[in-house]
Amino acid sequence: MIRRLAWYWLIPVAALAWEVVTRSAGAVYFPPPSTILARMREMAATEDVAADLVPSLARLAVGWALAAAAGVALGVLLGRSPLLAKLVEPMVHFGRSVPPAALLPVFLVFFKVGTPIQLAAIVYGVLWPVLVNSMDGARHVDTQYLDTAQVFHLPRWRVVLAAAAPKIFAGLRLSVALALIMMVISELYASSEGIGHRMREAEGIVDIPAMWAGIVLLGVLGVVLNGLFLAVERRALRWHRGRTAA
């Protein structure tokens, strides 16, 4: 923990360098941090920030949860069924190779503009890393674990999930960042509220500091969400770290 915190001194150094470089260059489209923070305070004081932030976070949470549940369930099923994997795996690799943003016009045909299309975009973008990692983890479960489960009459699925948990959590961690990306992309093109919609409005009136305020907010959200997920992961996989250390 102390080792990780030791790197945080780089944040004010990077912010200071950003401030100096941008003020020296006088770049209109790359404002200094002081200007961005001032615009963020102004927006917080004069606009209903919660009206954009809360819907975005709600869609992010619901879309991620749906994709995580579906990805883990399907991945474990495919990982434990070689025949089913041979039939479905080519379609899985085809689906994950298609950029989610490229399917937004297709989603517009099948879903209503607003929350439905945004949830569809988030679920599609998040599903693949969870599915592939869960499939890989379930496929390579040590047979000794399964034999032990049979001897002690333990539910087979619980042993498979426990053994595949490190791989599953690796996919889930990747999916958190993808969920944030897909949330913003869907709100940029198919929303009347949210962080992405606010950034699109700022672009329309050429409010550069407001656009950067949205970018900074997304970066902060990414750091916070990653930290929260790592805390959950460390707690859930405590047994695994102890076993590998031994």
Side-chain angles (χ1 to χ4, degrees), residues 70-93 127-128 130-140 160:
V72 171
L74 290 174
V76 171
L77 178 62
L78 293 174
R80 299 309 303 168
S81 176
L83 177 60
L84 190 60
K86 287 182 180 179
L87 295 174
V88 178
E89 195 166 354
M91 291 183 287
V92 170
H93 293 300
L127 177 66
W128 305 112
V130 182
L131 173 58
V132 171
N133 278 273
S134 300
M135 184 168 58
D136 188 53
R139 179 178 292 163
H140 296 98
V160 171

Side-chain angles (χ1 to χ4, degrees), residues 3 32 38 59 108 113 139 179:
R3 187 180 300 174
R59 286 189 287 262
L108 283 169
V113 174
R139 179 178 292 163

Side-chain angles (χ1 to χ4, degrees), residues 206-246:
V206 199
D207 189 349
I208 306 301
M211 292 172 57
W212 275 95
I215 294 172
V216 171
L217 177 59
L218 291 172
V220 172
L221 282 176
V223 172
V224 171
L225 292 174
N226 184 67
L228 291 174
F229 185 84
L230 285 178
V232 173
E233 182 182 30
R234 283 194 296 268
R235 186 176 183 86
L237 297 182
R238 187 181 304 167
W239 62 272
H240 178 72
R241 293 199 307 276
R243 182 176 65 84
T244 52

